[in-house]
Amino acid sequence: MSGLLAFKHLKKNALQPTSSNWLSSLISLRLSHSLPFATVKVEEISGSKPAEVLNLVQGNWTRSSNWNTILDPLNGESFIKVSEVDENGIQVSHFFAKLIQRVAPKSYQQAFGEVFVTQKFLENFCGDQVRFLARSFAVPGNHLGQQSHGFRWPYGPVAVVTPFNFPLEIPVLQLMGALYMGNKPVLKVDSKVSIVMEQMLRLLHECGLPIEDVDFINSDGKTMNKLLMEAKPRMTLFTGSSRVAEKLALDLKGRIKLEDAGFDWKILGPDVQEEEYVAWVCDQDAYACSGQKCSAQSMLFMHENWSRSSLIQKLTSLAARRKLDDLTIGPVLTVTTEAMLDHMNNLLKIKGSKLLFGGEPLENHSIPSIYGAIKPTAVFVPLEEILKDDNYELVTKEIFGPFQIVTEYKHDQLPLVLSALEKMHAHLTAAVVSNEPLFLQEVIGNSVNGTTYVGLRARTTGAPQNHWFGPAGDPLGAGIGTPEAIKLVWSCHREVIYDIGPLPHKWETPEST
């Protein structure tokens, strides 16, 4: 019996008082026939005939070695087997984490965190989210037929220049932001780590990125500078040192956005609590990735109450845990051991300064001498000495390695701390560790860092993909990761005014004005 005839038959019989429910009969009839897409028979799923749920990977339904058994909620039988991918099965993430470790040595947790943030960023802009980035608006005009439209407009040819310390996260987030807004980018990554992005581009092509949409170039800095001068991209994003950033800003006549160096600070407020946690975050902020983060904690201001706590003792113990074997401390790729120790010795010449811990080269390693290799280091410098003109530039010199300055302030010396912050030229990240509202208000109101964490759990590093990351107080400052950052960096505002008429009835040419 065909489905149509069966339906008519059931409908007719359903009108008779003695008939069974026609809808139940129709469902039973439909279930007795197999569907062309179905791999299970719903009425037969049971402990003796369990169903299987597979994974769809690159167009193929695949099994894994790990099965999760689902119990029937009615009788407890194992009636469905789900082929689940465990952490070791996520080969792409593992591949990039290990590749990052090979070229920019950091712990696996730090390398995987970079991959994770990149993954979440890509997830954030699935579906129509890229379309929404370019959302326009319209405003009514002064007469019929007139209205203005504001658009986010791509620059066209653009350049992306990124550093070594985040070989995947920074170039992917900025490159994709440029593409999202309709630009044609050329990408240059520090050659020490460019293999990571080369492999990522191959993955993007595998996933459907047109191969002509991105140009990828490897060169030294001098050659890239010449390329930028001759190609004249309409916008360049540069992430790296302040020295190069300032040169590019002049060479490119301001057609640039910068996320350059950051001498980042942390203030511990008067309310001492959760000492072990605060110490751990301070250690992570200063020494994870061997201090090679533009957001790394460079200076720690301790309220006198914290000086009387066990904080320094805990910091010393935490720093001593770091070892080369697991890359929780490792090579410094842009500053030599000699340069870092020379800087330390110059600091120790300042009146009242002292070495808190570290200050020695790493031992038993084969790290080339062109790189740095020192133990996590902290130098105490008195606040009054920091503020002296003869010392300030030396104390606030950024050392892109496992190195920080520690100082103490008295209860009535917060204005001196704020004065020290005001004199800094890089305003990237900051942290105010306190839950005292008035104290937080005072510090936040007198500082400008673009990404500032406040509260007991405040940190300077570890920015995820779900909030703005970038400096403030600089018209050339760039952001990364969020819709606001992408629109700011990779598009400009364009206004189109439509004025199509009609003209007023019996319009005549007016007098000249």
Side-chain angles (χ1 to χ4, degrees):
M1 182 182 295
S2 70
L4 180 58
L5 290 175
F7 180 78
K8 291 180 177 178
H9 175 74
L10 288 169
K11 184 176 181 182
K12 177 181 178 181
N13 288 343
L15 298 176
Q16 305 302 320
T18 58
S19 68
S20 61
N21 184 282
W22 70 269
L23 181 59
S24 297
S25 301
L26 178 61
I27 294 173
S28 298
L29 179 69
R30 189 63 176 137
L31 289 178
S32 66
H33 292 74
S34 62
L35 299 171
F37 65 86
T39 61
V40 299
K41 293 183 178 180
V42 178
E43 66 275 14
E44 295 182 2
I45 299 176
S46 62
S48 60
K49 293 184 178 180
E52 292 185 352
V53 182
L54 307 184
N55 301 290
L56 180 61
V57 181
Q58 295 183 349
N60 296 307
W61 291 101
T62 62
R63 291 175 169 83
S64 67
S65 59
N66 184 38
W67 292 89
N68 182 18
T69 301
I70 308 300
L71 301 182
D72 189 322
L74 296 179
N75 57 32
E77 291 184 348
S78 301
F79 79 135
I80 298 177
K81 297 193 301 180
V82 181
S83 177
E84 293 189 345
V85 177
D86 59 19
E87 292 184 2
N88 293 326
I90 307 174
Q91 296 180 356
V92 173
S93 296
H94 179 71
F95 169 81
F96 279 105
K98 296 300 289 186
L99 187 57
I100 289 169
Q101 280 193 293
R102 291 295 293 115
V103 294
K106 58 180 80 173
S107 71
Y108 184 84
Q109 291 78 8
Q110 289 286 319
F112 186 81
E114 185 176 342
V115 179
F116 180 80
V117 167
T118 304
Q119 173 191 336
K120 290 300 179 183
F121 166 82
L122 294 172
E123 291 176 3
N124 284 349
F125 291 96
C126 291
D128 282 326
Q129 295 307 311
V130 170
R131 188 191 312 275
F132 295 153
L133 284 173
R135 188 192 303 272
S136 61
F137 63 86
V139 178
N142 293 323
H143 50 255
L144 181 62
Q146 185 187 75
Q147 56 181 316
S148 60
H149 287 252
F151 295 95
R152 296 311 302 178
W153 209 259
Y155 289 104
V158 298
V160 184
V161 183
T162 62
F164 74 92
N165 56 329
F166 285 88
L168 184 72
E169 181 180 339
I170 295 177
V172 170
L173 269 60
Q174 294 291 16
L175 175 70
M176 297 308 294
L179 290 169
Y180 292 162
M181 297 311 297
N183 299 287
K184 171 63 186 290
V186 57
L187 172 65
K188 189 258 189 266
V189 181
D190 189 313
S191 294
K192 291 191 289 291
V193 300
S194 61
I195 187 174
V196 177
M197 202 56 206
E198 189 243 20
Q199 293 294 299
M200 185 64 192
L201 281 170
R202 294 180 186 275
L203 173 59
L204 291 172
H205 294 152
E206 183 73 15
C207 294
L209 176 70
I211 197 166
E212 66 275 5
D213 278 12
V214 176
D215 292 332
F216 179 65
I217 186 170
N218 295 293
S219 71
D220 60 17
K222 182 179 179 181
T223 302
M224 189 62 193
N225 187 266
K226 184 177 180 180
L227 183 151
L228 293 173
M229 295 290 288
E230 294 184 2
K232 294 181 171 57
R234 292 178 183 169
M235 217 295 292
T236 295
L237 179 283
F238 175 78
T239 305
S241 73
S242 295
R243 177 182 59 82
V244 177
E246 290 168 3
K247 181 182 187 305
L248 286 176
L250 293 173
D251 289 348
L252 300 178
K253 297 181 172 58
R255 293 189 299 273
I256 192 169
K257 288 289 186 181
L258 304 172
E259 198 266 273
D260 55 351
F263 189 85
D264 307 298
W265 49 265
K266 179 182 289 180
I267 296 175
L268 304 183
D271 45 327
V272 177
Q273 52 186 315
E274 303 292 350
E275 293 177 38
E276 189 165 342
Y277 177 82
V278 172
W280 174 75
V281 175
C282 286
D283 175 76
Q284 286 291 109
D285 283 345
Y287 304 125
C289 298
S290 300
Q292 296 171 99
K293 295 184 180 183
C294 54
S295 57
Q297 176 181 303
S298 301
M299 181 173 286
L300 179 63
F301 295 89
M302 297 185 301
H303 188 277
E304 59 184 328
N305 294 347
W306 281 98
S307 299
R308 292 192 288 268
S309 74
S310 61
L311 178 70
I312 296 299
Q313 179 184 349
K314 293 182 185 300
L315 286 176
T316 304
S317 299
L318 289 167
R321 298 192 310 172
R322 297 186 172 273
K323 53 187 183 296
L324 192 57
D325 290 346
D326 59 6
L327 294 176
T328 50
I329 192 69
V332 176
L333 301 190
T334 57
V335 191
T336 64
T337 300
E338 182 182 10
M340 287 187 283
L341 294 181
D342 284 348
H343 180 67
M344 179 193 70
N345 290 328
N346 289 330
L347 289 169
L348 292 176
K349 294 175 183 177
I350 297 174
K351 181 181 177 181
S353 65
K354 59 184 178 181
L355 178 66
L356 295 178
F357 53 81
E360 298 176 346
L362 292 178
E363 301 168 343
N364 303 319
H365 64 80
S366 55
I367 298 171
S369 60
I370 59 170
Y371 301 136
I374 69 168
K375 297 178 180 179
T377 298
V379 174
F380 179 88
V381 181
L383 179 60
E384 297 85 349
E385 293 296 323
I386 292 174
L387 290 168
K388 291 181 178 178
D389 292 339
D390 292 343
N391 296 333
Y392 189 82
E393 185 174 346
L394 172 65
V395 175
T396 57
K397 177 182 179 181
E398 183 184 21
I399 299 297
F400 213 57
F403 198 103
Q404 67 170 320
I405 304 295
V406 178
T407 192
E408 176 192 9
Y409 67 100
K410 306 298 183 184
H411 187 71
D412 59 352
Q413 288 184 314
L414 183 58
L416 296 181
V417 174
L418 298 176
S419 176
L421 305 184
E422 180 64 24
K423 293 172 67 176
M424 295 179 185
H425 73 277
H427 302 290
L428 183 55
T429 68
V432 189
V433 182
S434 174
N435 281 347
E436 292 287 340
L438 295 180
F439 180 83
L440 294 176
Q441 182 174 284
E442 182 73 11
V443 177
I444 295 169
N446 287 278
S447 57
V448 71
N449 293 52
T451 305
T452 303
Y453 299 90
V454 299
L456 176 64
R457 301 184 66 173
R459 62 190 193 276
T460 66
T461 65
Q465 73 294 330
N466 58 12
H467 69 63
W468 166 279
F469 181 84
D474 184 348
L476 297 181
I480 188 171
T482 63
E484 293 77 16
I486 293 171
K487 286 183 280 190
L488 172 74
V489 175
W490 294 115
S491 68
C492 57
H493 182 86
R494 184 184 185 190
E495 197 84 1
V496 178
I497 299 89
Y498 290 87
D499 205 347
I500 62 175
L503 295 178
H505 183 60
K506 295 183 179 180
W507 180 88
E508 295 181 356
T509 303
E511 296 293 328
S512 299
T513 60

